[in-house]
Amino acid sequence: MDFFAVFADPTVWVALATLIVMEVVLGIDNLLFISILTNKLPEQHREKARRIGIGLALILRLGLLATISWIVQLTQPVFTVLGNEISWKDMILIGGGLFLVWKATKEIHHSMDPVDHKDTMIGAAGMTFGSAIVQILMLDLVFSIDSIITAVGMTPHVEVMVIAVLVAVTVMLLAANPLARFIEHNPTIVMLALSFLMMIGTTLIAEGLGFHVPKGYIYAAMAFSALVEVLNMVARRRRAKKAVH
């Protein structure tokens, strides 16, 4: 079908707008992980790692769009466990969810144990750039597959999916450095972001096991928690100003 003919249909524009919003929201999960992970690198490597991580997300998503017929097959059942049909997509989501829960738990432990955190920061030079990119790539793959399969269910037009992915990744690229700096300068936000990652990981595991969790509930809870933390930050700053005066 001709590119311009596709966009002559008003319903395609509605699908595109919806898909862009969905891709941007899903991209927040990815961006949170990238921001927290790259903030552990030496400062001179952080921006480069973020750009590479987001670039890999774009390459993976466009690559997956080029193999849509294969992606759709990932939803076909491979085996059954306790009456639940498990597909390759489910296994990828479960694996990604377990990795996210493990990573978030480990980072929370390091944040709560200053002595252990110092040891790991000394040892962080061993993982640094290469290890960070590998971990980002793993989560990029999980989020990309989930994103593309969701997109396939919303529109049959690859052109629409490509535009939505490009817009979402552009937003991620623009938001990466400000978000990372905000997280770095507000330690309490780090704990909140890690809690978000743990909740997202748990949701991925549940989805992989066949328990559908409406995304709206997850993001509403995240938005409410973020609002409460913003109010706490404002209150702390006001108290600090009063203490100075």
Side-chain angles (χ1 to χ4, degrees):
M1 184 179 289
D2 182 71
F3 179 84
F4 294 104
V6 169
F7 286 93
D9 184 355
T11 59
V12 171
W13 288 97
V14 174
L16 176 61
T18 306
L19 200 51
I20 287 174
V21 172
M22 186 205 73
E23 289 287 342
V24 169
V25 171
L26 289 176
I28 293 172
D29 305 342
N30 208 349
L31 199 53
L32 273 175
F33 181 80
I34 290 174
S35 297
I36 291 174
L37 196 61
T38 54
N39 277 350
K40 297 183 68 177
L41 295 173
E43 192 169 351
Q44 65 269 26
H45 297 315
R46 291 176 186 175
E47 186 172 352
K48 182 180 178 182
R50 286 179 207 125
R51 291 184 181 280
I52 291 176
I54 295 170
L56 288 171
L58 175 61
I59 292 169
L60 277 172
R61 292 182 191 194
L62 293 179
L64 291 172
L65 281 173
T67 57
I68 279 186
S69 59
W70 175 74
I71 290 296
V72 171
Q73 290 177 6
L74 290 179
T75 60
Q76 300 300 315
V78 177
F79 56 87
T80 304
V81 177
L82 300 176
N84 291 322
E85 295 180 335
I86 305 295
S87 66
W88 283 108
K89 177 203 171 188
D90 296 328
M91 286 187 275
I92 291 169
L93 290 180
I94 292 170
L98 288 171
F99 174 74
L100 210 49
V101 169
W102 169 78
K103 189 67 181 175
T105 303
K106 184 178 177 182
E107 294 301 325
I108 289 173
H109 173 71
H110 292 167
S111 298
M112 298 296 290
D113 189 343
V115 176
D116 186 48
H117 184 59
K118 287 178 184 177
D119 293 339
T120 54
M121 286 306 290
I122 292 171
M127 82 139 194
T128 57
F129 199 80
S131 185
I133 294 300
V134 169
Q135 292 183 52
I136 290 172
L137 180 59
M138 289 173 62
L139 261 295
D140 276 348
L141 180 62
V142 175
F143 286 127
S144 293
I145 288 177
D146 191 29
S147 165
I148 297 304
I149 288 178
T150 305
V152 169
M154 293 183 64
T155 178
H157 303 297
V158 177
E159 303 94 328
V160 174
M161 298 180 209
V162 170
I163 292 173
V165 165
L166 290 174
V167 171
V169 172
T170 300
V171 171
M172 286 174 64
L173 197 58
L174 294 174
N177 288 338
L179 178 62
R181 284 194 294 267
F182 181 71
I183 289 175
E184 183 183 9
H185 295 150
N186 296 276
T188 55
I189 292 292
V190 175
M191 190 62 70
L192 185 64
L194 289 171
S195 300
F196 287 167
L197 290 178
M198 186 173 288
M199 181 166 63
I200 293 163
T202 304
T203 303
L204 290 176
I205 295 170
E207 291 277 353
L209 292 174
F211 300 98
H212 177 63
V213 182
K215 293 287 195 301
Y217 293 162
I218 300 298
Y219 292 115
M222 290 171 64
F224 178 76
S225 300
L227 176 61
V228 170
E229 182 57 30
V230 168
L231 293 175
N232 282 332
M233 289 170 61
V234 171
R236 284 195 296 269
R237 287 177 181 174
R238 286 183 176 177
R239 285 197 297 269
K241 285 182 180 179
K242 286 182 180 179
V244 171
H245 295 296

